[in-house]
Amino acid sequence: MKKKATTKRQKQNKYFEDDSDENFYYIAGYTDGGAPYGITREEIIAQELKFRGAVKKDAKKAAELIHIAIADIAEKLTGQTNKENIRETMANFFREENNRLSYQNMIVADLLGEVAGIVIIYPGEEASRLDEPILKRLRKKRRNEVIFLDKEADEGDFYIDTVCVDDRFRGLGIGTMLLKEAEKAALQKGYSRLSLNVAQDNPVAKKLYESIGYKRDKVIKINEHPYDYMVKIL
């Protein structure tokens, strides 16, 4: 019986899981003294990282990263508390069109076919319309027609809803690069003002945003928690 050929994806997964450490993306071998050598994470990012629009097959990983980024807001959006159910619901919305979680609104940082990070973007004036399918499902699930979602984005802003990088690739500048991709998309659509929200108990993220030109515009509440609404003028 013939052995099945190793697929490209299987090889990629082997690199990710078996042949990596904190310094090397791919360990090619070891010196006589036992020191590893190979391709560093910085080298693989520079050579292989690409940015593209999301596609439906990204759903599972995208839902995972969105959940990590928005935490309890994911429970609010889905009406679920179980992690698997939350992510399954978000993945379903991701595969659909015309909602805030849709693949249509996402840019992916792609590393050798793997989703290394994501950013969700859309015009602020479209936020209410994009929330309608989510609200409709939520109201039906809860049998409550007066449920609403907090207003997160101002009209006239190009809104960065969510940005998240996979744990394996944090600290390599991918988050900043995704934010730059959002800026490019904003300019292409004729927007000169970007906005995003950062939780007040997340000073690390706020420092990152400030370092690339975002300034606090006001404080809003999302799911009963205070967020700094930050703005950047291009």
Side-chain angles (χ1 to χ4, degrees):
M1 188 173 180
K2 285 186 178 180
K3 271 180 103 176
K4 288 185 180 179
T6 302
T7 67
K8 182 179 179 183
R9 175 55 60 86
Q10 287 171 331
K11 288 179 180 178
Q12 290 167 355
N13 287 341
K14 184 176 189 299
Y15 293 163
F16 279 120
E17 295 169 8
D18 299 335
D19 298 320
S20 302
D21 65 12
E22 66 274 13
N23 297 312
F24 289 95
Y25 172 79
Y26 172 55
I27 298 173
Y30 296 85
T31 66
D32 291 340
Y37 64 87
I39 302 173
T40 67
R41 292 182 177 272
E42 289 79 5
E43 288 170 337
I44 202 71
I45 293 296
Q47 295 171 16
E48 302 292 344
L49 187 67
K50 305 290 188 298
F51 296 95
R52 59 171 174 82
V55 293
K56 293 182 181 181
K57 69 178 183 179
D58 296 323
K60 183 177 180 181
K61 187 64 179 184
E64 174 191 328
L65 293 178
I66 296 168
H67 189 198
I68 290 169
I70 67 177
D72 62 302
I73 298 174
E75 295 184 14
K76 174 76 172 182
L77 294 177
T78 62
Q80 307 278 4
T81 56
N82 176 271
K83 182 175 79 172
E84 287 72 24
N85 292 340
I86 289 171
R87 293 182 179 181
E88 181 180 359
T89 301
M90 291 197 299
N92 288 338
F93 275 120
F94 176 88
R95 296 184 189 99
E96 296 173 2
E97 298 182 354
N98 299 314
N99 70 81
R100 76 150 84 172
L101 301 176
S102 171
Y103 70 94
Q104 295 172 306
N105 305 320
M106 184 180 291
I107 296 172
V108 167
D110 184 305
L111 190 60
L112 292 172
E114 295 288 332
V115 177
I118 56 99
V119 61
I120 298 175
I121 48 177
Y122 47 82
E125 56 269 25
E126 293 187 12
S128 295
R129 177 182 66 82
L130 293 172
D131 277 345
E132 285 175 7
I134 295 171
L135 264 177
K136 183 178 179 180
R137 179 193 172 278
L138 197 55
R139 287 168 175 169
K140 183 178 180 180
K141 178 178 175 58
R142 293 289 177 86
R143 297 187 176 91
N144 184 349
E145 290 299 317
V146 299
I147 290 176
F148 68 93
L149 296 175
D150 297 305
K151 185 176 186 297
E152 295 186 19
D154 289 348
E155 294 184 9
D157 288 356
F158 197 71
Y159 182 57
I160 299 174
D161 180 296
T162 304
V163 60
C164 187
V165 176
D166 187 289
D167 278 344
R168 296 169 295 174
F169 306 110
R170 289 184 182 174
L172 297 170
I174 295 176
T176 300
M177 286 187 271
L178 282 165
L179 292 169
K180 293 296 182 184
E181 291 297 313
E183 291 180 13
K184 292 178 188 177
L187 290 172
Q188 288 171 358
K189 293 180 179 293
Y191 289 84
S192 60
R193 179 176 148 122
L194 282 91
S195 61
L196 53 81
N197 285 294
V198 58
Q200 290 190 337
D201 62 357
N202 190 354
V204 174
K206 184 176 181 180
K207 185 175 181 180
L208 167 64
Y209 300 140
E210 288 175 335
S211 73
I212 58 174
Y214 284 85
K215 296 180 179 180
R216 188 175 77 168
D217 183 68
K218 59 185 175 181
V219 177
I220 68 171
K221 276 197 173 182
I222 304 175
N223 205 25
E224 301 302 321
H225 300 302
Y227 283 73
D228 287 337
Y229 189 84
M230 304 188 75
V231 170
K232 179 175 182 178
I233 308 298
L234 299 176

